Amino acid sequence: MGSSQQAGWSKKPISPKTARATLKVVRNTMYTIVLLSFSAVTGATGNNRVSATGGSSSELNCSHKSNITMVTWKISPKVGGPCTMGYRADQNKTDRTNCSDSMNWKFRPDGDPTLEIRHVGIAHEGNYTCELVTTEGNFHKTYYLTVLVPPRLALYCDNHGDPVCEAAAGKPAAQVAWVLDSNSTPREEGHDNGTVTVLSKLTARSTNMTNATCIVSHPAGNQSKTIACHPSKNSTWFLHCFISLAGLLGLLLLLAALHRYTFCDSRTMRNQYKPRHLPSAELSGPISNAAHEQK
């Protein structure tokens, strides 16, 4: 028992200076680990949303690092299957799998692995991930590409003389409005390729308004057109025909009623002044008796 206590007391206590130094080393180590973890997560999960107008070109850059060992672009479009584009520095070789000709390296991938998309279309919309391997470490960068399709603006007059504004096949759906008038109700029609057609008719206009101006607002650009609509010839002709026919029918009904009234009135007058006809027996009776008496 005594030997144990003696052995225990024989240990040297840790000095405050040594404890502070140990705590500082631990704190710095933890700070370094947290910082490296945060940097790794940031480099691996960087996600950016970009947009491009249909028909234009789009560039997606990867991390600008030197001493590139390998770079791979992984594309997952919303329409169609995935594709990959890669480069290996040790073999000085590039390859591509299931990628269209519209996608290619903008420069030499060993110096700048930027991806270029020419003639952007709806089929290019989706996720794009760049995986870069360098002597400094691994880096990832992800994009989500949204394709904007400007609508086709058409402004015309319908059969009733009302102006109609049509923003056809836009993505996303366009906003349609009329200048100095809000009495309209837009109607949307979706298409299989993701575009939307918006149709708006101006049905009630002020009597002193001669022109109607339609404004189409869209992320790919704004458009406007002006038109002057008047009642169409077909509509006026139909209205005149209807009025003429209604007047003719009314006149015929009036003539028929007048004819009926005149016919009935004349018949009544004839019946009133017609002489009374005696039966033949009454006319022949007195004459026969007088002849018999003369005999």
Side-chain angles (χ1 to χ4, degrees):
M1 185 71 177
S3 61
S4 300
Q5 292 178 352
Q6 186 178 1
W9 283 104
S10 65
K11 295 181 180 180
K12 294 182 179 180
I14 300 175
S15 64
K17 184 177 181 180
T18 303
R20 285 195 301 269
T22 303
L23 183 60
K24 183 177 181 180
V25 171
V26 172
R27 185 170 60 249
N28 292 340
T29 302
M30 293 299 298
Y31 176 78
T32 303
I33 293 174
V34 171
L35 182 61
L36 291 176
S37 300
F38 178 76
S39 300
V41 170
T42 304
T45 61
N47 197 346
N48 303 286
R49 300 185 67 90
V50 294
S51 61
T53 303
S56 64
S57 296
S58 180
E59 298 177 5
L60 305 178
N61 56 43
C62 200
S63 299
H64 294 287
K65 300 293 182 180
S66 58
N67 300 323
I68 296 177
T69 302
M70 184 171 63
V71 58
T72 304
W73 277 100
K74 296 181 179 179
I75 299 100
S76 299
K78 293 177 63 176
V79 179
C83 80
T84 58
M85 294 176 55
Y87 166 76
R88 290 187 59 173
D90 58 344
Q91 300 179 0
N92 193 22
K93 179 181 177 182
T94 60
D95 59 70
R96 54 194 299 139
T97 305
N98 298 328
C99 294
S100 64
D101 295 336
S102 60
M103 290 185 289
N104 209 338
W105 307 99
K106 182 175 177 60
F107 306 104
R108 287 180 53 87
D110 55 346
D112 186 354
T114 297
L115 178 67
E116 182 182 25
I117 307 172
R118 298 183 300 274
H119 305 294
V120 174
I122 297 178
H124 293 123
E125 195 169 65
N127 289 302
Y128 291 74
T129 301
C130 177
E131 298 178 354
L132 193 65
V133 179
T134 68
T135 55
E136 302 176 15
N138 300 344
F139 302 90
H140 292 183
K141 196 168 186 179
T142 301
Y143 296 91
Y144 183 83
L145 177 64
T146 300
V147 178
L148 306 176
V149 180
R152 300 186 302 272
L153 174 58
L155 185 60
Y156 56 90
C157 305
D158 65 3
N159 295 332
H160 302 286
D162 294 324
V164 179
C165 186
E166 179 179 358
K171 183 178 179 299
Q175 300 293 325
V176 178
W178 297 91
V179 174
L180 301 179
D181 201 310
S182 60
N183 191 10
S184 61
T185 304
R187 178 171 56 88
E188 295 185 1
E189 179 184 356
H191 306 289
D192 295 337
N193 60 357
T195 60
V196 180
T197 295
V198 182
L199 202 69
S200 178
K201 177 190 291 188
L202 194 60
T203 56
R205 290 178 293 163
S206 176
T207 55
N208 58 359
M209 183 183 296
T210 57
N211 296 332
T213 301
C214 173
I215 298 178
V216 174
S217 302
H218 192 267
N222 301 330
Q223 307 175 61
S224 65
K225 278 188 177 182
T226 302
I227 195 172
C229 293
H230 306 283
S232 63
K233 294 182 179 179
N234 293 334
S235 177
T236 306
W237 177 84
F238 178 79
L239 181 61
H240 288 170
C241 288
F242 178 79
I243 294 175
S244 299
L245 183 59
L248 181 60
L249 290 176
L251 181 60
L252 291 176
L253 290 176
L254 180 61
L255 290 175
L258 182 61
H259 176 73
R260 181 178 178 83
Y261 173 78
T262 305
F263 175 76
C264 293
D265 185 65
S266 62
R267 186 174 181 180
T268 303
M269 293 294 294
R270 286 198 303 269
N271 291 336
Q272 182 177 359
Y273 294 101
K274 184 178 180 180
R276 183 171 178 268
H277 296 282
L278 297 176
S280 57
E282 295 182 1
L283 292 176
S284 60
I287 299 175
S288 300
N289 294 333
H292 180 70
E293 290 178 357
Q294 289 178 359
K295 290 182 180 181

